[in-house]
Amino acid sequence: MLKFLARQTMTQLELRKRIVLQRRLLHRARKAEHEKANFERVVRQASDFIGIADGRGEVIFLNDAARALVGLPADASPPKVVTDYVIEADRAAFLEEVKPAVKSGESCERELTLRNVATGEEVPALFTMFPVRDGEGDLIGYGVVTKDITAQKEEDERKAQIMAEAAHRIKNTLAIVQAIVAQTLRGARSLEESRDAIMKRVGALAAAQDILTGAQGSAADIMSVVAGALAPHDSGNGRVSWEGPDHPLESPQAIGLSLALHELATNAAKYGALSGDAGRVDIKWHVDPDGSFRLDWTERDGPVVNTPSATGFGSRLIQRMIGPYFQGSTTLEFPPEGARFRLTGKISRRS
């Protein structure tokens, strides 16, 4: 009887131990399941592309951001093969660089271009793939974290364009300065005269560059170019006037027109309408809907004008260098009543 009671007691104790153990295991399982659910929730709601592949490399999970990036609806089964997400031109890079590195147990990060399966749009991305191991260190799959770098690529391209434009403008500016110096020295009668002329012409070039800088470097409006070029010669008494529609000019056109107006104003101040007390200068321009452009410089009420016996750099600049910027031509005449300049050509139509 005692032996029977002892066996019964031992059986009940063993049963209680098993019950306690089962409860602990159940608690751990529930906790693990809760943690797994939280982890999946975080992964699914993450803003970056997150994917999981099994040990064979077949895709078994994509989070919401990944599906949005590659154009997969929430209820659609994801393509199994990783290369299906990559554009054809980048598949060799994945197979030859990323896949071998990950299979050897290393993570690999590389820029790849993904394909939106719904639209066909190409999406530049920073693609990171790494092996996933269990608690014992055995490989059980692969993880992928990918970041859309479209905005970064666009910013890099914008910076490259700015640098290219800056280099182009510097090169053009240096070429213009070189021409100004060479031509001025060739026609100058003294070192002092050439120095003064070079300083004024380079100053006019600098003023044109300032106008372009204020217009973000790509274009400047006609009104700003005219006002900037004539500011040193406009005393505000109405002797210099300009009239015409505001319209953007391309960078070379703005520089060319500014230099031409500087030369015309300088000549007017030395020999023409602005050299006395009563002369006037009128500048008028017109832009047609098709982009045809005409600008007239007219001097009047000044001293009698004589046609120059020699052609200096300023006149050559006005007559030969400016027209090509506008795909057009220029004329410079010297009737007795005052110098006249006309520029005809094309400018870009307003967008």
Side-chain angles (χ1 to χ4, degrees):
M1 186 65 179
L2 291 175
K3 289 182 179 181
F4 174 77
L5 292 174
R7 283 197 302 268
Q8 286 292 96
T9 302
M10 293 298 295
T11 302
Q12 290 180 5
L13 289 174
E14 185 65 28
L15 182 59
R16 289 179 181 177
K17 286 181 181 179
R18 289 181 181 180
I19 293 172
V20 171
L21 179 59
Q22 289 295 329
R23 286 177 176 174
R24 288 177 180 174
L25 291 175
L26 181 60
H27 176 72
R28 290 176 183 175
R30 287 176 176 173
K31 183 177 180 182
E33 188 67 28
H34 180 69
E35 292 176 349
K36 178 184 176 183
N38 285 339
F39 173 75
E40 288 182 351
R41 191 176 298 110
V42 170
V43 169
R44 188 171 294 279
Q45 296 177 2
S47 59
D48 288 340
F49 178 123
I50 297 178
I52 299 173
D54 61 20
R56 295 173 298 177
E58 294 186 354
V59 178
I60 58 175
F61 171 79
L62 291 177
N63 71 344
D64 295 343
R67 288 178 173 274
L69 191 65
V70 299
L72 275 178
D75 56 350
S77 298
K80 295 294 185 184
V81 183
V82 177
T83 50
D84 287 344
Y85 299 89
V86 181
I87 64 169
E88 188 173 351
D90 281 0
R91 288 176 184 174
F94 174 81
L95 295 173
E96 296 170 8
E97 298 178 32
V98 179
K99 189 174 180 179
V102 177
K103 280 206 165 188
S104 68
E106 301 176 358
S107 62
C108 184
E109 183 178 271
R110 193 188 192 284
E111 285 189 14
L112 293 175
T113 302
L114 304 185
R115 180 178 64 91
N116 186 299
V117 297
T119 65
E121 180 184 3
E122 296 184 356
V123 183
L126 185 62
F127 185 93
T128 305
M129 192 169 188
F130 51 90
V132 177
R133 302 182 183 277
D134 61 17
E136 298 178 0
D138 294 328
L139 181 68
I140 59 173
Y142 305 94
V144 173
V145 177
T146 299
K147 184 175 183 63
D148 182 356
I149 56 173
T150 301
Q152 177 184 326
K153 285 292 184 181
E154 291 174 349
E155 178 66 13
D156 290 344
E157 183 178 353
R158 189 185 71 83
K159 288 180 180 178
Q161 290 175 346
I162 290 174
M163 292 300 294
E165 173 66 17
H168 178 70
R169 286 182 59 192
I170 290 171
K171 183 178 179 181
N172 285 348
T173 301
L174 290 176
I176 294 172
V177 171
Q178 184 180 31
I180 287 174
V181 173
Q183 294 286 352
T184 303
L185 290 175
R186 187 178 302 165
R189 289 170 293 188
S190 67
L191 182 62
E192 183 177 351
E193 180 184 14
S194 63
R195 181 180 62 185
D196 183 61
I198 289 170
M199 289 182 64
K200 289 180 178 178
R201 284 167 177 161
V202 172
L205 178 61
Q209 295 288 357
D210 287 342
I211 293 172
L212 289 174
T213 300
Q216 305 302 319
S218 58
D221 60 84
I222 299 175
M223 193 71 72
S224 296
V225 172
V226 173
L230 298 179
H233 306 278
D234 182 14
S235 59
N237 56 8
R239 296 180 61 193
V240 179
S241 66
W242 53 85
E243 179 183 355
D246 208 359
H247 197 97
L249 295 175
E250 295 178 357
S251 172
Q253 294 174 335
I255 292 175
L257 180 60
S258 179
L259 289 174
L261 294 176
H262 166 75
E263 292 297 330
L264 289 167
T266 299
N267 290 339
K270 285 183 176 181
Y271 320 110
L274 300 181
S275 63
D277 296 328
R280 289 179 51 85
V281 174
D282 298 317
I283 305 98
K284 295 182 179 180
W285 64 90
H286 180 75
V287 183
D288 291 330
D290 66 351
S292 297
F293 173 66
R294 189 184 76 193
L295 180 142
D296 289 301
W297 170 289
T298 306
E299 297 182 29
R300 58 186 174 87
D301 299 334
V304 176
V305 173
N306 297 312
T307 301
S309 57
T311 301
F313 170 64
S315 296
R316 289 195 297 273
L317 183 149
I318 294 170
Q319 292 176 292
R320 302 175 190 173
M321 295 175 61
I322 307 305
Y325 287 136
F326 293 83
Q327 303 175 45
S329 60
T330 61
T331 58
L332 180 60
E333 300 174 343
F334 296 94
E337 60 270 23
R340 295 176 183 174
F341 168 76
R342 171 170 289 181
L343 166 64
T344 57
K346 288 274 190 180
I347 59 178
S348 299
R349 286 181 288 183
R350 191 185 301 273
S351 58

